[in-house]
């Protein structure tokens, strides 16, 4: 995941150069493209490997609710994606010469909420697609359209913060991110046992 | 009726039907076991044994029908049921990158097993893997994995064991060790459901035998005093007859559907053809 995100950031730096004054609006986009595409690699392994190795049934036979398995998987995805994001962010700061220290706290909040939303949706669809043959393709097809609100909100909020705007200006986007996370967490709670049934 | 001679049913399956698309894997299967019953489930390949075991241990839901384990419906009380059951299936449910001890430690923590370290040590000894307990599982042979799978299944001391082809990959020594463990389980009056092709071992262990063929439970009797050779003859006869009758009925329904298709879409076609 880290290597892939590193490559994405490098490729963008070759394509647009490291002086992004002309393309300033693209900075948050580049960052989130690296996050989302690399995160998808991790999602593919979340349930797929368990199913391939025949350990998923072992997990489902443990005396825990399917919802708890979902939470564990989602938190695992969140942790690995966050590690990848920290690495990507460091590379990004160095390559694009961005000074993010003054905005570190609000930026971290946006990245956390965006990643949480992506991890929730991704874990749900990773479980659904793990039983299919072309799960890599199906996961991408399912996750990207559903994640559009979280991607738009994250990119917009990140852009506003990098421009040096106050936290109040990104409040609306943060509310969208929180609402998205809550709705999909509730959806996972209600549906995950049915998803894992077959 | 939830009791037999005053004893509550531990496993009760009623009118189980399981369909995968157009294929019917189980047809109206009824099964009742009280505590201490040991059922050997025989049947040819594709008979529905694995599907039945998966439904009984609530890994799969039936298309229709109901399964109650120790008074708990599998649709609503999965976690509580999983605490009561141990399962050995085709897959070993083991993580290849972890050692035997780490695998058992993981599952032990999931089941909240008390005095886990001592229990793991004891089980590793019982399944004869002491010398390999710190090796990654992916370096094990199929038989060694199966031994560890047995340890995993009984780690939390379940009251009911569901075993799907547990002798797969085991050498003579491993199969004997497993048989000894299962005999201990049976003597402790725990309930066992064993799906196997091994008629001799199944009959030796179990108090009841059932034959499943093409999704139908065609035989379910007490095996006390039954002659193994007689049972084998009967098994072959029953499964052969049923297989033929199912093939014939499948052919007839295929022909009928072909004719109806002709009638509907080709109204001028001759119905005799």
């Amino acid at each position: 995941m880290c290597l892939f995100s590193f490559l994405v950031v490098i490729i963008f730096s070759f394509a647009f150069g490291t002086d992004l004054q002309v393309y300033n609006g693209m900075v948050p986009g580049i960052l989130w493209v690296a996050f989302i595409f690399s995160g998808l690699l991790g999602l593919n392994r979340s349930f797929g490997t368990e199913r391939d190795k025949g350990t998923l049934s072992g997990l489902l036979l443990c005396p825990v609710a399917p919802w708890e398995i979902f939470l564990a998987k989602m938190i695992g995805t969140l942790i690995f994606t966050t590690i990848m994001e920290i690495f990507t962010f460091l590379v990004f700061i160095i390559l694009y010469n961005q000074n993010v220290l003054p905005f570190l706290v609000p930026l971290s909040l946006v990245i956390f909420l965006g990643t949480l939303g992506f991890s929730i949706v991704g874990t749900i669809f990773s479980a659904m697609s793990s039983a299919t043959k072309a799960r890599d393709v199906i996961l991408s097809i399912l996750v990207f359209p559903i994640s559009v609100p979280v991607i738009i909100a994250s990119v917009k909020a990140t852009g506003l913060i990098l421009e040096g705007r106050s936290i109040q200006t990104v409040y609306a986007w943060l509310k969208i991110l929180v609402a998205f996370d809550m709705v999909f967490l509730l959806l996972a709670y209600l549906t995950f046992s049915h998803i894992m049934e077959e | 009726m939830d009791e037999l001679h005053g004893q509550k049913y531990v496993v009760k399956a009623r009118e189980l039907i399981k369909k995968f698309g157009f294929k019917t894997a189980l047809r109206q299967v009824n099964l009742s076991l009280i505590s201490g019953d040991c059922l050997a489930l025989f049947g040819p390949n594709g008979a529905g044994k694995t599907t039945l075991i998966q439904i009984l241990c609530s890994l799969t839901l039936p298309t229709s029908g109901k399964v109650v384990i120790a008074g708990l419906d599998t649709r609503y009380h999965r976690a509580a049921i999983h605490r009561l059951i141990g399962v050995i299936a085709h897959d070993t449910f083991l993580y290849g990158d972890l050692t035997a001890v780490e695998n058992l430690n993981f599952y032990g923590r999931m089941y909240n097993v008390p005095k886990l370290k001592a229990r793991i040590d004891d089980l590793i000894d019982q399944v004869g893997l002491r010398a390999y307990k710190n090796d990654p599982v992916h370096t094990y042979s199929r038989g060694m994995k199966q031994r560890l799978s047995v340890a995993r299944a009984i780690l939390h001391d379940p009251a009911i064991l569901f075993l799907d082809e547990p002798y797969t990959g085991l050498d003579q020594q491993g199969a004997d060790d497993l048989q000894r463990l299962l005999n201990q389980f049976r003597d402790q009056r725990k309930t066992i459901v064993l799906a196997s092709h091994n008629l001799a071992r199944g009959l030796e262990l179990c108090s009841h035998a059932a034959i499943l063929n093409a999704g139908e439970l065609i035989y379910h009797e007490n095996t006390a005093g039954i002659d193994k050779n007689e049972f084998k003859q009967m098994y072959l006869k029953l499964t052969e007859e049923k297989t033929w009758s199912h093939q014939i009925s499948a052919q007839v329904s295929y022909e009928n559907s072909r004719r109806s298709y002709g009638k509907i879409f080709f109204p001028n076609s001759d119905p005799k053809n």
Side-chain angles (χ1 to χ4, degrees), chain A residues 11-189:
Chain A
I11 286 166
F12 273 112
S13 81
F14 284 147
F16 301 114
T18 49
D19 181 15
L20 282 172
Q21 280 192 340
V22 182
Y23 307 106
N24 213 20
M26 293 176 70
V27 172
I30 292 169
L31 197 61
W32 278 97
V33 164
F35 288 169
I36 298 291
F37 277 81
S38 309
L40 204 66
L41 289 181
L43 282 175
N44 273 323
R45 299 175 67 85
S46 180
F47 279 93
T49 314
E50 294 270 7
R51 205 175 275 276
D52 287 346
K53 296 192 173 173
T55 48
L56 188 58
S57 299
L59 272 187
L60 293 173
L61 280 169
C62 290
V64 292
W67 155 250
E68 291 170 301
I69 294 172
F70 166 81
L71 263 190
K73 285 285 182 192
M74 192 274 289
I75 291 169
T77 303
L78 185 65
I79 290 170
F80 281 111
T81 312
T82 305
I83 292 169
M84 174 271 293
E85 286 172 348
I86 292 169
F87 171 79
T88 310
F89 204 63
L90 291 174
V91 174
F92 177 81
I93 289 166
I94 295 163
L95 273 179
Y96 293 89
N97 201 22
Q98 294 276 323
N99 181 18
V100 293
L101 267 180
F103 332 114
L104 203 57
V105 174
L107 202 57
S108 302
L109 181 67
V110 169
I111 290 175
F112 171 75
L113 289 174
T115 310
L116 181 65
F118 178 72
S119 300
I120 294 168
V121 172
T123 307
I124 296 172
F125 287 112
S126 172
M128 282 171 77
S129 64
S130 67
T132 61
K133 280 180 186 167
R135 62 171 167 247
D136 298 0
V137 178
I138 287 172
L139 182 62
S140 314
I141 291 169
L142 292 173
V143 168
F144 285 135
I146 305 291
S147 305
V148 164
V150 88
I151 295 170
I152 292 173
S154 301
V155 170
K156 292 285 183 190
T158 307
L160 288 170
I161 289 168
L162 286 178
E163 283 172 18
R165 306 273 185 89
S166 66
I167 189 82
Q168 279 77 19
T169 55
V170 294
Y171 199 59
W173 295 113
L174 284 179
K175 279 200 285 190
I176 291 175
L177 285 175
V178 171
F180 184 93
D181 294 355
M182 285 172 69
V183 166
F184 275 90
L185 209 55
L186 182 70
L187 205 68
Y189 175 74

Side-chain angles (χ1 to χ4, degrees), chain A residues 45 49-66 68-69 73 192-194 196-198, chain B residues 18 20 54 57-61 78-80 82-83 85 87 91-97 106-107 110-112 152:
Chain A
R45 299 175 67 85
T49 314
E50 294 270 7
R51 205 175 275 276
D52 287 346
K53 296 192 173 173
T55 48
L56 188 58
S57 299
L59 272 187
L60 293 173
L61 280 169
C62 290
V64 292
E68 291 170 301
I69 294 172
K73 285 285 182 192
F192 202 72
S193 59
H194 300 290
M196 297 315 295
E197 255 161 31
E198 293 295 330
Chain B
K18 181 67 183 176
F20 295 105
Q54 283 185 338
C57 64
S58 80
L59 265 180
T60 303
L61 284 179
R78 282 185 173 191
H82 291 166
R83 215 167 267 289
I85 65 172
V87 181
D91 290 323
T92 56
F93 307 155
L94 298 170
Y95 291 90
D97 295 332
F106 169 72
Y107 280 108
M110 292 293 272
Y111 283 93
N112 213 4
R152 178 201 48 74

Side-chain angles (χ1 to χ4, degrees), chain B residues 11 24 27 64 116-117 154 220 259:
Chain B
V11 178
T24 305
R27 300 160 198 267
S64 70
L116 183 57
K117 198 173 174 301
I154 61 174
H220 185 188
R259 283 188 188 135

